[in-house]
Amino acid sequence: MRLFLCEKPSQGRDIAKVLGASRRGDGCLIGRETTVTWCIGHLLETAPPEAYGDQYKTWSLDHLPIIPAQWRVEVKPKTVVQFKIIKQLLNEATTVVIATDADREGEMIARELLELCNYRGSVERLWLSALNEASIRKALSSLKSGQETFPLYHSALARSRADWLIGMNLSRLFTLLGRRAGYDGVLSVGRVQTPTLRLVVERDRAIASFVSVPYWVVEVHLSSMGQSFIASWIPPSSGRDEAGRCLQQALASQTVQAISSSKTATVASLQTEHLREAPPLPFDLSTLQQVCSRKLGLGAQETLNIAQA
């Protein structure tokens, strides 16, 4: 039996339709010589620290760092039924076609199941990004070898295990140190979560400590050969801040007087760029209300009523 292993039920139904597997089974769709089944995202998860020994049930600095000698995975409680179905189908399959998403996480979802269930048959890979019929048929006609995409599994494992090592060890470490300092709670640390949180905190602090500073801009309306344009004055280095703004009103006023007394200007340098601008997208309601308020003086509800009418 040839078994197609998909990532989610909707994906399985789309592929089964093209394959002609229309008879419903428990957690699968069955054809003449082909069966299509699916996961529900990740059916498995990396085992928690306590799975590696009872000593890890209690959080202690003496047990850190926790580095598994042999990594374990466990079936998620919510997906036990589907896992048992897939395990039975793998026992009956002679060929497995991995039809999960075409990325490293999709590869991992399938491979970790094959490994846990000790599947030893041949493996092929359906490399598919779109789920319309034409795309599915094209991908089915050019199946990849399982070995070709196997390195993606190792890449996903590295990501998963790095998340585990950082999350489990540092969350315990910082929580225990926090308790010593009088903090009664869990301090969660994550490989992605923590640096992202830092970016948010730093931005919040910058906003909270922001002090507005007045600055002056001098713009000059110029014309040459029938073309009009606006030029902005660049303050001298001694009279501007790091952002290039003039912070001295007297300097800006002197510049305005100097420019006003002269009727000519010299172009010191010219830079030309050719740009391609995409057509603007249609309005969403929020932007439409903002524009109508600014240009027409309409209220948000009034704009909504007109748009709906």
Side-chain angles (χ1 to χ4, degrees), residues 52-209:
Y52 297 97
D54 291 340
Q55 69 272 25
Y56 298 127
K57 291 181 179 179
T58 302
W59 290 23
S60 170
L61 291 175
D62 296 334
H63 298 150
L64 298 179
I66 305 168
I67 303 176
Q70 184 69 41
W71 288 87
R72 300 180 187 177
V73 293
E74 295 180 348
V75 182
K76 289 184 175 181
K78 292 183 179 180
T79 58
V80 169
V81 173
Q82 188 63 18
F83 170 76
K84 290 180 179 178
I85 291 170
I86 292 175
K87 184 176 182 179
Q88 180 60 40
L89 290 171
L90 286 173
N91 289 335
E92 301 170 4
T94 54
T95 299
V96 167
V97 179
I98 297 176
T100 49
D101 288 352
D103 54 29
R104 68 179 187 181
E105 291 305 310
E107 195 76 19
M108 181 175 178
I109 286 172
R111 296 282 185 175
E112 62 185 0
L113 284 169
L114 300 186
E115 188 170 311
L116 184 63
C117 296
N118 294 314
Y119 174 77
R120 294 294 180 263
S122 63
V123 177
E124 295 177 307
R125 186 58 156 106
L126 180 69
W127 198 253
L128 184 64
S129 297
L131 288 172
N132 56 68
E133 183 176 344
S135 297
I136 294 173
R137 290 191 183 280
K138 182 178 179 180
L140 286 170
S141 67
S142 55
L143 291 174
K144 295 178 179 287
S145 159
Q147 286 301 315
E148 190 174 343
T149 59
F150 187 68
L152 286 174
Y153 175 42
H154 287 159
S155 175
L157 275 180
R159 190 276 313 156
S160 174
R161 292 173 180 178
D163 285 349
W164 193 98
L165 289 170
I166 291 173
M168 295 300 179
N169 283 292
L170 294 187
S171 292
R172 291 189 175 208
L173 173 63
F174 279 91
T175 297
L176 292 168
L177 293 178
R179 289 175 184 172
R180 286 184 177 181
Y183 178 79
D184 186 20
V186 175
L187 292 171
S188 177
V189 179
R191 183 182 62 90
V192 176
Q193 160 199 318
T194 301
T196 303
L197 178 61
R198 165 147 187 179
L199 291 174
V200 174
V201 170
E202 287 184 341
R203 184 62 179 159
D204 260 358
R205 287 175 175 172
I207 292 171
S209 62

Side-chain angles (χ1 to χ4, degrees), residues 231-284:
S232 295
W233 168 64
I234 299 177
S237 58
S238 60
R240 64 174 184 250
D241 64 1
E242 294 178 354
R245 301 173 301 185
C246 176
L247 304 182
Q248 303 172 24
Q249 184 178 9
L251 178 59
S253 298
Q254 291 172 9
T255 301
V256 171
Q257 291 175 4
I259 293 173
S260 300
S261 63
S262 175
K263 301 300 181 183
T264 61
T266 301
V267 176
S269 65
L270 176 66
Q271 182 176 354
T272 303
E273 287 186 68
H274 294 279
L275 302 176
R276 179 170 296 182
E277 183 177 351
L281 295 173
F283 280 114
D284 57 44

